Amino acid sequence: MQQMIRTKKFLLTDDDRDDREMFSEALASIAPDVVYHWAADGRHALQLLASNDKPDILFLDINMPVMNGWELLNKLKKDNNYNDIPVIIYSTSSEQRDKEIAKDLGALCFVTKPDNFRLMKSILKAVVDNLDKNSLDSLCADIENILHKQ
Amino acid sequence: MGQRIREFDWSKTALGPVDTWPQSLRTCMRIMLTSRQPMWIGWSRELIKLYNDPYIAIVGGKHPFALGTPISVVWKDIWRDIEPMLKKVMEQDEGTYVESQLLIMERNGYPEETYYTFSYTPIPGDDGRPAGMICANTDDTDRIISERQLRTLTQLGKKLNNCRVNKEVIENTIASLKENQYDFPYVLFYSIKGDKFIFSNASDDAIAATVPAEIELSDNTSFALCLRESLSTRKPQQLDNVKMHLGEMPNGAWPISSNKAITLPIVQASSKEPYGVLIVGTNPYRLFNEKYRSFFSLVADQMAASFADVRVLEEERKRSEALAEIDRAKTIFFSNISHEFRTPLTLLLAPIEDALHDSGISEEHKIRMNVAYRNALRMQKLVNTLLEFSRLEAGRVEGRFSPVDIGSLTEDLASLFRSAIEKAGMQLIINKGDVHDTVYVDVDMWERIILNLISNAFKYSKEGTISLSIEQKEKDVYVSVSDTGIGIPEDQLDKIFNRFHRVENTEGRSQEGTGIGLAMVRELVKLHHGTIQVTSKAGKGSAFIIKIPVGKEHLPAEKIADTPAEFPLYKHSEAFVQEALKWVPEERKHINVNEDSGAGSSAAVGIPKYKVLLADDNADMQDYVYRLLSDQFYVITASDGEEAFAKALEYKPDLLLSDIMMPRLDGFGLLKKLRNHTETKNIPVIFLSARAGEEAKVEGLDAGADDYLVKPFSAKELIVRVNYHISEKKYRQLSEDLEIIVQKRTKELQRSNEDLLQFAHVASHDLKEPVRKFKTFIGRLQEEYGNILPEKGRDYLNRMTVAADRMSSMIEGVLKYSSLNEEGEINTSVDLNEIIKSIEADLEVMINQKKAEIVKDELPVIEGAPVLIYQLFYNLINNSLKFSRENPVVRIFSSVETVDGMKYAKIMVADNGIGFKQTYANKIFDAFSRLNTKDKYEGTGLGLALCKKIAERHHGSISAAGEEGKGAVFTILLPI
């Protein structure tokens, strides 16, 4: 089985500097060749999307100024140019309601931001591995397992 | 016809070929053919017939064979009639002329009644003697028959005009039809009673003998069938073979009978009930065609209409009889009752009169006595009036007539009212005219007449003048009483003298009265052989004019007393005048609320008196109630509904006492007005009414009154009710206000609770962020730099992590707790066994660690939210494991308990842990309450609070029992 390993690109949209820092450090530590872009809010994210290659996966926070995660997700899914990009909602919330909304709006998974650096690394590793497999079907289940082992 | 004649082969006839015809024939033929009038020529001894086109209609079906045929052959059917005429013409050379001759012609296959006006004129031959004749015709058939029918209808109409009973209708119909023997050889009528036809009448007595007297509707004879048919179709039907069904019938004007009859249903289109069936014999010489049929229909309709009229008349009569009966019954009833009253009244009046004349009575008592006296007098007047009237009606009263000076007598009587009239600010004008003849009256009756009229004039006038005039005109004396009062509506003018009639809703001084007064006056005037009339204009005034003849010739001789009577007795005047005085509004001191500072009041100083508004048009009533209530209340009075409403707005009384019958606006109207106005809608209302009976009471209460008192009522009753309703209203007002306050507060509380929870929710949400980061960074510190830190440093970091964890779980707890208030949890079946199993799985680590054991009964299935139920038991079991000593055992028991009729699953979770003091049994369920220090046992203090909330959410409960050092038992009740 020929596995196509090409340069992956992640886009994180999050207004929190610390969270972004931790994300990029975790990502760099487990998959240094992944290209990482970030945006501070939805509008910023759209600009980036317009002027660059499509990322392989989008991580969206919910609570952001200007345009929050829901609005951005909705916009992306309605746009034929971007609606095929898999989206992971990456939020502090652990509420069932938010998980349901994410699913309804078309996100792939809902990941509650872990409070543990190691966990963060494991999650990102799972994402990378699944992208290598060329199938994201089991990604959410894998992340669930990782989180649950807590 | 000209062509036909030309083409005819005349050589075969006695006329011979055309070229042999004499000139006269030729000439006449030309005349005939060009004439527009039907004509024919008979030529030669046999009178061979020639005719023109217009004549074809006359000859009917005999055309064209009639042409060239001897007349005796053509007119075989009427030969009898025309032969003598023709003979005259041909033999005596004389012309004939007849008008509207009846000829029974058979030209269309049946014998026909026809009428013709025609002339036969001889045509001379060459030898000068008649060789033939010429005939000119006019058809009169239609005219004659139509005239005949019209006569019948007119006659019928006239005769049926004034029928009063059905029998007359039948008789008159038959009599009218009988006169037309041509169209109606005989007539019968059968009426319908139940399911039988009954013979009623006929045009001939002989018929009555032969026809069936009664026929069942359901009979099978063709006669019955025919009758039934005509009724059901409501159309004339033909009855054949009359001889068989009804016997020999007269032929009428004809030599033969048609042996047919027509049955005409007599029924009005609108009614369901038929009156009967009219059976008429038919004219044997006429076809029963449309024309004939419609004539019969007209007859039938007239008869039906006449029956209907009779019916209407009958009903009218019954109705007026019923009304008269009611009237009579009323009078008898009243007079019976009145009779009963007389004695007690006398026994009332006498002692009161005595008391009034007693000098030893106090002023206060005298006032009360006066009220009693006046009202007893009033009752007496009413009673007497009724009795008198019923006697009058029965004809049991006879006047005694004496000669009087009518002018002075009348003047004196009227003057009795002067003071009352002037007190009311009105004028009394008396015009005594010159009366030169002696007038005979019954003085007592005259007194009553005049007093009644003047009293009425006063009652129904608020201002202006009352005029009385007496004058003689020829042989009559005219006495008139007129006023400038409210007048009488035009439609009531003819009713005003009727017994018991009262004009509704007047604006008079009072609504009191029986309606007998004027009826009585009329009867009394009648006894004097006089008349009384009224003219009036609503809003302008009325005038009553009596006319009586002078002298005594018209009066029964034995009733005359020639000496003037004792003059006058004034038997009735006092009652009348006293009554009138009461209609004049007095200055009432008790209207002014501020002035009446409670003189004689027993109310303590400082306690405000409640205000009562009294509405009643009877002044005595006002006084009475005022006196009753003024001790405890401020009493405001009003004499009619409008005044009461105005005063209600002005004074805002705490209660309204109201009569129902009042001028201008009655009790019900007043109530409605009050209830529709925001400022007065809550005033309690008590009706005071003379109308007794359940119905009246219900009507009053239905209209919205708070209570209903029937006059006469006791003083105590009144005071009790007034007090009750005032305090009721106050109390209700108060509790209403309280209600409103409570509602407002509750809303506020709810809102603040909601706010709190929302705050908690949001705060917790926001707190999660920094806590998470906190933990993350501590984690990273430990990972990346932990090994270079000294022991102490690592220790610090550990403690920071613990603290952060605590904060985290607290926040979790608060979030969960606050979110529990949201609705929307779906209730499903929850198998508690499954719940416990998954809790065991989740707590596996701790269970193994503590070497704990969980023993459980078979648990039931309940209705609830699985997540919450899970949480509930998780917390309890978690607690038991947390607060355990060595070898913890958690036992879970299950049973069923009934509390207050409801079935519950009783789950007990018992452990052998550290337990707690029983005194804290309730406190432990409080939010954030902890019985142990934080470092000894972890916990947010929210766990049990959450359990309690969950249990209550499911309409269940949780309770705890414990013993320090021994263990704890938590009992959960959940409905099943």
Side-chain angles (χ1 to χ4, degrees):
Chain A
M1 221 184 346
Q2 186 71 20
Q3 282 186 19
M4 263 244 300
I5 303 176
R6 52 172 179 79
T7 322
K8 288 174 267 293
K9 190 160 137 212
F10 284 15
L11 172 58
L12 168 69
T13 312
D14 194 328
D15 64 325
D16 190 301
R17 194 185 127 222
D18 296 323
D19 279 337
R20 287 201 305 266
E21 222 177 84
M22 278 200 276
F23 186 93
S24 77
E25 282 186 27
L27 185 58
S29 126
I30 52 113
D33 53 333
V34 170
V35 175
Y36 162 74
H37 285 234
W38 63 267
D41 57 60
R43 196 184 46 184
H44 190 189
L46 283 171
Q47 282 171 352
L48 278 181
L49 282 170
S51 51
N52 287 292
D53 301 331
K54 277 204 293 197
D56 296 277
I57 193 155
L58 273 168
F59 288 84
L60 291 189
D61 188 12
I62 298 178
N63 282 316
M64 297 183 288
V66 182
M67 192 194 293
N68 66 32
W70 298 135
E71 286 173 323
L72 177 59
L73 176 57
N74 206 14
K75 255 202 155 72
L76 290 175
K77 288 302 173 189
K78 286 207 171 108
D79 191 331
N80 282 327
N81 293 321
Y82 305 121
N83 60 11
D84 58 337
I85 310 173
V87 174
I88 293 182
I89 297 291
Y90 188 64
S91 166
T92 46
S93 163
S94 57
E95 302 227 344
Q96 187 58 30
R97 205 171 27 166
D98 287 330
K99 296 185 187 172
E100 283 165 15
I101 296 173
K103 272 273 137 64
D104 286 341
L105 285 176
L108 180 63
C109 323
F110 185 101
V111 176
T112 310
K113 288 183 192 171
D115 52 11
N116 184 314
F117 192 62
R118 216 176 319 127
L119 267 185
M120 214 179 281
K121 286 200 278 189
S122 308
I123 290 171
L124 288 176
K125 180 118 192 358
V127 175
V128 171
D129 288 343
N130 272 284
L131 276 175
D132 281 338
K133 271 196 308 186
N134 261 324
S135 153
L136 296 176
D137 294 342
S138 53
L139 176 56
C140 293
D142 291 343
I143 295 178
E144 282 293 303
N145 281 334
I146 293 165
L147 285 172
H148 225 99
K149 282 218 189 92
Q150 249 310 66
Chain B
M1 277 315 290
Q3 192 176 346
R4 235 186 244 279
I5 291 172
R6 267 198 299 280
E7 288 169 359
F8 197 80
D9 185 1
W10 291 103
S11 53
K12 294 242 176 60
T13 72
L15 257 54
V18 179
D19 43 356
T20 62
W21 289 4
Q23 185 55 44
S24 44
L25 173 57
R26 269 194 250 254
T27 313
C28 285
M29 211 174 61
R30 223 179 358 250
I31 295 173
M32 178 187 84
L33 285 173
T34 47
S35 170
R36 297 285 194 90
Q37 190 178 0
M39 279 180 151
W40 61 276
I41 294 173
W43 199 259
S44 82
R45 215 159 49 118
E46 290 149 325
L47 292 172
I48 307 287
K49 201 173 178 86
L50 299 107
Y51 52 95
N52 63 4
D53 286 296
Y55 190 79
I56 296 175
I58 294 177
V59 92
K62 299 180 188 182
H63 168 77
F65 108 90
L67 180 65
T69 309
I71 197 70
S72 52
V73 177
V74 178
W75 284 121
K76 203 164 50 213
D77 38 346
I78 57 170
W79 186 243
R80 197 185 34 218
D81 301 293
I82 60 175
E83 201 224 346
M85 285 184 243
L86 289 169
K87 224 170 157 183
K88 196 162 167 206
V89 167
M90 297 306 286
E91 288 173 13
Q92 289 161 30
D93 199 13
E94 273 180 30
T96 64
Y97 177 64
V98 282
E99 284 183 352
S100 303
Q101 172 86 356
L102 167 66
L103 298 169
I104 308 292
M105 290 189 183
E106 269 183 66
R107 54 198 171 163
N108 288 322
Y110 64 92
E112 240 181 279
E113 174 192 7
T114 65
Y115 297 88
Y116 283 95
T117 299
F118 57 95
S119 62
Y120 290 153
T121 314
I123 308 173
D126 288 338
D127 58 356
R129 293 219 329 273
M133 39 74 62
I134 186 165
C135 169
N137 278 280
T138 309
D139 187 346
D140 281 329
T141 311
D142 276 346
R143 185 173 62 83
I144 300 292
I145 293 184
S146 299
E147 276 175 15
R148 189 169 73 210
Q149 290 181 349
L150 190 61
R151 257 199 309 279
T152 302
L153 288 173
T154 315
Q155 174 83 301
L156 191 62
K158 264 213 298 251
K159 272 219 154 83
L160 289 180
N161 208 9
N162 287 320
C163 295
R164 301 187 67 76
V165 287
N166 287 349
K167 194 151 137 351
E168 264 181 62
V169 174
I170 300 170
E171 268 172 22
N172 288 350
T173 303
I174 294 180
S176 313
L177 296 181
K178 208 161 122 169
E179 309 225 346
N180 181 352
Q181 289 281 302
Y182 291 89
D183 293 314
F184 301 101
Y186 55 90
V187 183
L188 301 146
F189 188 79
Y190 275 81
S191 54
I192 299 170
K193 231 193 205 112
D195 46 355
K196 286 202 181 65
F197 290 104
I198 304 195
F199 174 75
S200 181
N201 209 335
S203 54
D204 201 305
D205 289 329
I207 299 175
T210 57
V211 298
E214 257 184 39
I215 303 171
E216 296 273 338
L217 227 83
S218 49
D219 251 10
N220 275 331
T221 60
S222 356
F223 184 39
L225 221 85
C226 200
L227 292 174
R228 267 207 311 279
E229 192 67 20
S230 41
L231 277 183
S232 60
T233 59
R234 294 193 171 199
K235 284 204 171 74
Q237 299 291 331
Q238 186 165 301
L239 175 69
D240 295 323
N241 208 346
V242 171
K243 199 152 152 192
M244 188 179 79
H245 300 292
L246 300 176
E248 282 285 346
M249 288 286 136
N251 295 340
W254 310 107
I256 60 164
S257 161
S258 63
N259 207 16
K260 293 193 187 32
I262 302 292
T263 56
L264 296 165
I266 307 297
V267 57
Q268 278 223 301
S270 50
S271 81
K272 309 160 237 134
E273 294 294 316
Y275 298 105
V277 185
L278 187 69
I279 304 164
V280 297
T282 56
N283 182 338
Y285 297 124
R286 281 195 71 187
L287 267 185
F288 190 50
N289 58 6
E290 201 47 49
K291 252 171 119 183
Y292 205 179
R293 201 191 296 267
S294 58
F295 170 56
F296 278 146
S297 296
L298 284 172
V299 170
D301 284 345
Q302 282 230 31
M303 201 180 183
S306 193
F307 274 124
D309 285 342
V310 165
R311 180 176 285 176
V312 166
L313 224 75
E314 184 64 34
E315 275 167 22
E316 265 307 314
R317 203 177 45 78
K318 279 203 207 123
R319 207 185 358 251
S320 36
E321 240 181 62
L323 282 173
E325 190 55 44
I326 291 174
D327 249 357
R328 272 195 296 275
K330 249 199 210 165
T331 318
I332 292 174
F333 174 71
F334 274 120
S335 76
N336 281 342
I337 294 206
S338 304
H339 237 295
E340 296 297 316
F341 283 157
R342 283 193 119 181
T343 313
L345 266 174
T346 320
L347 291 174
L348 259 177
L349 283 166
I352 296 177
E353 258 185 64
D354 287 341
L356 278 172
H357 289 124
D358 189 343
S359 47
I361 305 267
S362 76
E363 219 26 65
E364 179 67 23
H365 283 123
K366 273 232 171 87
I367 296 177
R368 296 209 187 112
M369 288 271 162
N370 253 317
V371 175
Y373 184 64
R374 260 202 313 273
N375 283 285
L377 266 185
R378 184 171 160 232
M379 251 180 91
Q380 187 185 53
K381 173 170 167 263
L382 284 168
V383 163
N384 285 338
T385 309
L386 280 168
L387 275 176
E388 193 65 38
F389 187 72
S390 67
R391 290 219 326 263
L392 261 179
E393 275 220 306
R396 290 207 298 272
V397 175
E398 291 156 350
R400 270 186 64 76
F401 303 93
S402 355
V404 295
D405 175 354
I406 194 78
S408 305
L409 171 62
T410 311
E411 183 184 31
D412 287 343
L413 287 168
S415 305
L416 292 169
F417 276 92
R418 190 180 287 281
S419 56
I421 292 173
E422 282 170 4
K423 193 169 180 196
M426 289 175 63
Q427 261 196 312
L428 174 65
I429 299 179
I430 303 181
N431 289 317
K432 219 164 66 166
D434 177 37
V435 177
H436 30 268
D437 287 319
T438 328
V439 182
Y440 285 77
V441 298
D442 176 315
V443 176
D444 190 64
M445 288 184 190
W446 193 253
E447 183 183 338
R448 265 211 293 260
I449 292 171
I450 299 301
L451 291 180
N452 244 302
L453 291 177
I454 304 268
S455 168
N456 270 4
F458 184 51
K459 185 149 74 163
Y460 295 108
S461 311
K462 292 275 189 52
E463 58 189 359
T465 315
I466 297 174
S467 329
L468 168 72
S469 76
I470 310 119
E471 59 176 350
Q472 175 172 0
K473 279 201 207 134
E474 291 176 20
K475 283 286 158 201
D476 295 298
V477 168
Y478 290 84
V479 177
S480 77
V481 176
S482 49
D483 62 61
T484 54
I486 60 174
I488 303 160
E490 215 176 305
D491 57 332
Q492 311 259 355
L493 276 178
D494 54 343
K495 301 198 189 96
I496 207 146
F497 290 109
N498 290 349
R499 242 185 301 191
F500 301 123
H501 181 86
R502 308 199 58 220
V503 180
E504 298 285 324
N505 278 329
T506 52
E507 297 217 1
R509 291 176 186 277
S510 169
Q511 285 288 61
E512 301 163 347
T514 50
I516 275 251
L518 283 176
M520 165 96 98
V521 164
R522 184 167 64 172
E523 290 303 307
L524 292 173
V525 169
K526 271 213 287 215
L527 272 178
H528 286 79
H529 291 256
T531 58
I532 180 166
Q533 266 161 354
V534 61
T535 55
S536 178
K537 209 168 167 117
K540 288 278 162 67
S542 318
F544 287 84
I545 305 166
I546 302 170
K547 175 175 104 166
I548 56 168
V550 300
K552 54 181 173 170
E553 292 73 36
H554 54 280
L555 299 165
E558 66 276 15
K559 298 286 174 323
I560 308 216
D562 273 307
T563 55
E566 283 202 16
F567 189 115
L569 295 171
Y570 292 149
K571 263 207 314 228
H572 314 276
S573 48
E574 189 171 5
F576 270 103
V577 176
Q578 287 287 4
E579 184 187 34
L581 278 171
K582 273 288 130 196
W583 295 331
V584 181
E586 300 254 3
E587 283 297 315
R588 298 221 175 275
K589 292 197 284 281
H590 37 269
I591 293 176
N592 200 330
V593 170
N594 298 319
E595 269 187 28
D596 196 312
S597 54
S601 136
S602 56
V605 175
I607 300 177
K609 271 168 142 189
Y610 289 121
K611 289 178 269 188
V612 173
L613 171 61
L614 167 66
D616 198 315
D617 62 334
N618 183 315
D620 280 336
M621 201 58 185
Q622 281 188 18
D623 282 340
Y624 176 62
V625 174
Y626 175 76
R627 251 202 309 287
L628 276 184
L629 298 180
S630 60
D631 268 1
Q632 298 178 39
F633 307 95
Y634 285 135
V635 181
I636 308 147
T637 57
S639 303
D640 65 54
E642 291 287 2
E643 194 190 342
F645 182 64
K647 290 205 171 146
L649 282 174
E650 192 188 334
Y651 293 100
K652 304 273 179 8
D654 298 292
L655 182 123
L656 167 71
L657 277 175
S658 175
D659 189 16
I660 292 187
M661 295 295 285
M662 293 184 289
R664 284 215 286 165
L665 183 67
D666 69 5
F668 284 109
L670 172 60
L671 177 63
K672 197 164 172 206
K673 254 188 148 155
L674 288 173
R675 293 278 181 256
N676 281 337
H677 198 291
T678 42
E679 292 179 47
T680 56
K681 68 178 179 195
N682 287 322
I683 301 178
V685 172
I686 301 179
F687 275 145
L688 306 168
S689 181
R691 284 179 67 202
E694 226 16 66
E695 261 181 50
K697 184 163 187 185
V698 169
E699 199 189 337
L701 295 174
D702 262 353
D706 294 86
D707 211 337
Y708 193 99
L709 272 176
V710 178
K711 298 181 198 172
F713 46 79
S714 76
K716 224 196 294 186
E717 178 94 48
L718 178 68
I719 295 177
V720 163
R721 300 271 187 119
V722 167
N723 272 317
Y724 172 73
H725 282 288
I726 290 182
S727 53
E728 251 292 293
K729 245 327 170 355
K730 295 283 170 221
Y731 173 70
R732 233 177 309 147
Q733 194 66 48
L734 215 71
S735 43
E736 262 174 34
D737 293 341
L738 270 174
E739 263 296 313
I740 294 172
I741 291 173
V742 165
Q743 272 177 9
K744 266 198 359 213
R745 280 299 294 148
T746 313
K747 268 217 184 79
E748 279 171 26
L749 272 172
Q750 273 177 346
R751 222 172 330 142
S752 68
N753 254 358
E754 278 163 18
D755 290 344
L756 272 172
L757 278 171
Q758 202 151 355
F759 173 72
H761 196 98
V762 169
S764 310
H765 230 293
D766 287 340
L767 286 172
K768 274 174 84 174
E769 257 289 325
V771 170
R772 185 183 58 85
K773 291 218 197 132
F774 192 50
K775 281 176 69 177
T776 316
F777 282 119
I778 294 176
R780 292 196 73 187
L781 255 182
Q782 282 173 324
E783 263 181 39
E784 285 166 49
Y785 305 108
N787 37 7
I788 58 167
L789 272 178
E791 182 72 34
K792 231 181 189 178
R794 276 202 297 275
D795 183 41
Y796 288 156
L797 283 178
N798 270 332
R799 289 208 268 192
M800 280 162 78
T801 308
V802 167
D805 279 338
R806 245 192 90 64
M807 211 162 134
S808 220
S809 60
M810 281 193 81
I811 292 170
E812 261 334 287
V814 169
L815 270 178
K816 274 217 195 92
Y817 188 81
S818 62
S819 71
L820 204 54
N821 286 303
E822 287 159 21
E823 302 299 328
E825 298 275 354
I826 310 157
N827 271 24
T828 52
S829 297
V830 181
D831 184 354
L832 291 177
N833 297 299
E834 294 298 319
I835 295 286
I836 303 298
K837 270 206 206 111
S838 41
I839 294 173
E840 283 177 307
D842 288 338
L843 292 172
E844 204 183 326
V845 175
M846 205 195 323
I847 292 172
N848 289 336
Q849 206 181 56
K850 298 206 173 218
K851 295 201 213 325
E853 201 190 329
I854 300 182
V855 179
K856 55 191 188 289
D857 281 352
E858 181 68 24
L859 299 171
V861 173
I862 54 130
E863 285 286 310
V867 176
L868 297 177
I869 297 295
Y870 178 90
Q871 188 74 54
L872 167 70
F873 284 99
Y874 180 91
N875 285 359
L876 288 177
I877 297 174
N878 195 21
N879 272 4
S880 294
L881 293 174
K882 219 166 35 173
F883 297 106
S884 60
R885 299 170 290 151
E886 28 350 273
N887 303 339
V889 178
V890 180
R891 287 178 218 276
I892 308 179
F893 302 104
S894 168
S895 58
V896 173
E897 194 162 290
T898 311
V899 179
D900 287 338
M902 295 271 296
K903 258 179 141 180
Y904 291 89
K906 183 170 161 184
I907 318 286
M908 292 167 72
V909 180
D911 67 47
N912 54 358
I914 62 170
F916 55 87
K917 258 208 182 106
Q918 184 55 32
T919 42
Y920 297 133
N922 287 326
K923 196 164 178 301
I924 52 174
F925 290 109
D926 290 343
F928 300 121
S929 98
R930 310 191 71 251
L931 295 181
N932 296 283
T933 53
K934 279 184 288 239
D935 37 335
K936 232 179 163 190
Y937 291 98
E938 290 175 35
T940 53
L942 273 178
L944 286 178
L946 206 61
C947 290
K948 181 159 182 231
K949 221 180 184 197
I950 294 172
E952 280 165 9
R953 247 310 205 83
H954 286 76
H955 307 289
S957 65
I958 183 168
S959 57
E963 210 186 316
E964 228 173 359
K966 289 274 176 66
V969 179
F970 289 85
T971 308
I972 305 111
L973 288 172
L974 293 168
I976 46 165

